[in-house]
Amino acid sequence: NAGVTQTPKFQVLKTGQSMTLQCAQDMNHEYMSWYRQDPGMGLRLIHYSVGAGITDQGEVPNGYNVSRSTTEDFPLRLLSAAPSQTSVYFCASSPSAGGELGYTFGSGTRLTVV
Amino acid sequence: SQKIEQNSEALNIQEGKTATLTCNYTNYSPAYLQWYRQDPGRGPVFLLLIRENEKEKRKERLKVTFDTTLKQSLFHITASQPADSATYLCAPRYSSASKIIFGSGTRLSIRP
């Protein structure tokens, strides 16, 4: 039981490049979400999904796309990377949207945009 | 919009003492509130959940309280140990929302 797996762990992009951050969970959780964490600003919700085929925007969705074709996977796409997207990105999952059993987080992807 | 405030200054505690962290929220009370621990370079780890109608919740050396009058949750670690040093995040969930929002966290340092 691997939990939530994020790849890559580190990435450097040039401004304007695109890339996909991968997130996979093996706990059959319905709810998955993406956060970014910046110093002094805590975790901010980018996008979330309450089940396969259903996604919605969080607090800071601009510049990011998501899709949820399977229960297990929830990739985050950066369309045209900007220095402001330099951050640590966390994927989290939970059995339900309410999160009464807590969220399980991945170990994060540290992204630098130059 | 809802705001969550955690003490942004680091909290330094002598080993063996009780550490108390504060989470304040504005406007209406959340349906429940979660606490997480985050170590450097790692994702947050879920610790405890307390519901609006619960005054107190305990788990081993951890205790969480929820005061809807003060609009505050307190997180206590008794008999603190250096291994408890980490950043602690509070995360309320409002019944009208399908997502949880996080405070910015308080860094706790336990010195031997």
Side-chain angles (χ1 to χ4, degrees):
Chain A
N1 193 337
V4 177
T5 302
Q6 290 185 238
T7 55
K9 293 191 182 305
F10 302 94
Q11 183 70 51
V12 178
L13 286 179
K14 292 184 179 179
T15 297
Q17 286 185 316
S18 62
M19 80 159 294
T20 299
L21 308 185
Q22 301 292 344
C23 176
Q25 52 93 7
D26 61 358
M27 298 171 286
N28 201 33
H29 285 174
E30 288 297 318
Y31 182 84
M32 296 185 74
S33 55
W34 277 100
Y35 289 86
R36 60 178 288 175
Q37 188 172 40
D38 303 291
M41 300 194 71
L43 287 160
R44 290 184 293 168
L45 183 63
I46 305 172
H47 285 285
Y48 65 98
S49 169
V50 298
I54 306 169
T55 63
D56 206 348
Q57 297 180 349
E59 302 169 74
V60 288
N62 292 339
Y64 308 95
N65 270 356
V66 292
S67 60
R68 184 96 179 270
S69 56
T70 67
T71 298
E72 294 78 20
D73 300 298
F74 191 44
L76 178 72
R77 298 182 188 85
L78 278 69
L79 308 173
S80 177
S84 61
Q85 293 179 304
T86 294
S87 187
V88 180
Y89 291 84
F90 288 102
C91 179
S93 73
S94 177
S96 67
E100 287 87 348
L101 299 179
Y103 284 7
T104 301
F105 282 82
S107 57
T109 295
R110 185 174 295 275
L111 175 68
T112 302
V113 182
V114 298
Chain B
S1 63
Q2 295 293 331
K3 289 186 179 179
I4 302 100
E5 294 179 353
Q6 292 188 257
N7 194 339
S8 59
E9 302 217 358
L11 186 63
N12 295 299
I13 300 292
Q14 179 74 43
E15 181 177 8
K17 302 290 187 183
T18 296
T20 299
L21 286 68
T22 304
C23 177
N24 295 304
Y25 58 89
T26 58
N27 300 330
Y28 53 94
S29 289
Y32 57 77
L33 194 146
Q34 299 179 347
W35 283 88
Y36 289 77
R37 168 183 173 141
Q38 186 174 22
D39 292 287
R42 310 288 292 270
V45 174
F46 172 70
L47 297 174
L48 279 172
L49 177 149
I50 186 166
R51 299 185 184 279
E52 185 181 15
N53 60 356
E54 297 175 318
K55 296 292 186 189
E56 181 180 297
K57 200 77 162 286
R58 292 177 184 263
K59 180 182 177 183
E60 298 173 354
R61 293 185 296 111
L62 308 180
K63 184 179 83 171
V64 173
T65 61
F66 197 168
D67 189 326
T68 55
T69 301
L70 295 177
K71 297 186 177 180
Q72 181 180 83
S73 175
L74 298 179
F75 178 83
H76 307 272
I77 304 177
T78 58
S80 59
Q81 305 166 1
D84 295 326
S85 298
T87 296
Y88 291 85
L89 310 171
C90 73
R93 191 245 175 174
Y94 297 89
S95 56
S96 62
S98 62
K99 47 194 179 290
I100 290 174
I101 54 177
F102 286 82
S104 56
T106 298
R107 191 167 78 249
L108 175 66
S109 178
I110 309 296
R111 60 182 185 274

